[in-house]
Amino acid sequence: GSYTGTLYIDYSYDKDKLFKRPDSSAHGIGYALDASMQYTPTDKLHFLLDIRDLLAVIHWNDATYTKAQANTATTTTGADGSLSVKPTLTGVEGVRNVHQRLPARVNFKAVYDLSDGYEAGIAGLYVSNTLLPELLVAKHFNKGQYGLRYDVTSHGLGGYAQVSNFNISLLSDS
């Protein structure tokens, strides 16, 4: 038998990791629109919706790119059954203008205040058609909070602490 395949590459870059070419002199300009909302319908129930890059675009000028095709249809089988593969690689590299659209990232949180500074709720991240929900239990103190979280998707258990502007979080996965 013979094995063949074709690979197509079309990518823009500022640092060429694939072929290790010199760095690009590309430059760009862009804009982004973010939105955030907090809603507290009762003393104990709180909602947060934070959307990053609701509209986010970067226009790159003179971005280096590579378009290439590798073809292994040149595979032959020897008399002893061994394969000889002599693939061909053709392509072009150059510079072009690129219009890059960044995906929106949606963070949400709904919590209910229990007693003695405890809260329970659900939070999550939605990006690129993927939802990553978490269940939360936290304890508040005068300058921050600490808590446990359970990642519903990965079945991971974790903990976090927040004091003033410092946050640390650990999460395991299964």
Side-chain angles (χ1 to χ4, degrees):
S2 71
Y3 300 93
T4 62
T6 304
L7 171 69
Y8 296 98
I9 299 172
D10 182 355
Y11 78 115
S12 296
Y13 48 85
D14 65 340
K15 293 185 185 299
D16 184 3
K17 304 285 186 186
L18 186 60
F19 296 111
K20 306 212 183 305
R21 294 192 178 95
D23 290 349
S24 168
S25 61
H27 55 281
I29 188 166
Y31 54 88
L33 175 65
D34 301 332
S36 187
M37 179 187 80
Q38 291 186 21
Y39 177 58
T40 307
T42 70
D43 295 3
K44 296 188 173 281
L45 188 59
H46 311 277
F47 296 98
L48 170 69
L49 180 66
D50 186 40
I51 305 171
R52 299 294 170 173
D53 297 329
L54 179 63
L55 177 62
V57 174
I58 302 174
H59 300 281
W60 296 99
N61 295 314
D62 300 328
T64 50
Y65 75 95
T66 297
K67 276 182 137 175
Q69 177 179 344
N71 189 341
T72 62
T74 58
T75 303
T76 58
T77 305
D80 62 354
S82 63
L83 290 178
S84 174
V85 180
K86 296 177 182 164
T88 60
L89 178 63
T90 58
V92 65
E93 61 184 10
V95 295
R96 64 183 172 193
N97 296 334
V98 177
H99 176 86
Q100 181 182 15
R101 172 85 167 87
L102 303 176
R105 297 180 319 275
V106 179
N107 286 291
F108 62 89
K109 187 175 182 182
V111 294
Y112 185 80
D113 290 334
L114 303 170
S115 60
D116 298 325
Y118 287 94
E119 70 180 22
I122 185 168
L125 169 66
Y126 180 80
V127 64
S128 299
N129 296 320
T130 302
L131 176 62
L132 302 169
E134 295 182 333
L135 302 175
L136 307 170
V137 176
K139 169 71 172 155
H140 288 270
F141 56 93
N142 61 350
K143 292 187 178 184
Q145 66 177 329
Y146 58 89
L148 295 174
R149 48 191 264 217
Y150 175 73
D151 186 306
V152 176
T153 305
S154 71
H155 305 289
L157 186 60
Y160 64 93
Q162 175 186 0
V163 179
S164 298
N165 291 327
F166 177 75
N167 293 305
I168 188 167
S169 179
L170 297 172
L171 180 66
S172 70
D173 60 8
S174 59

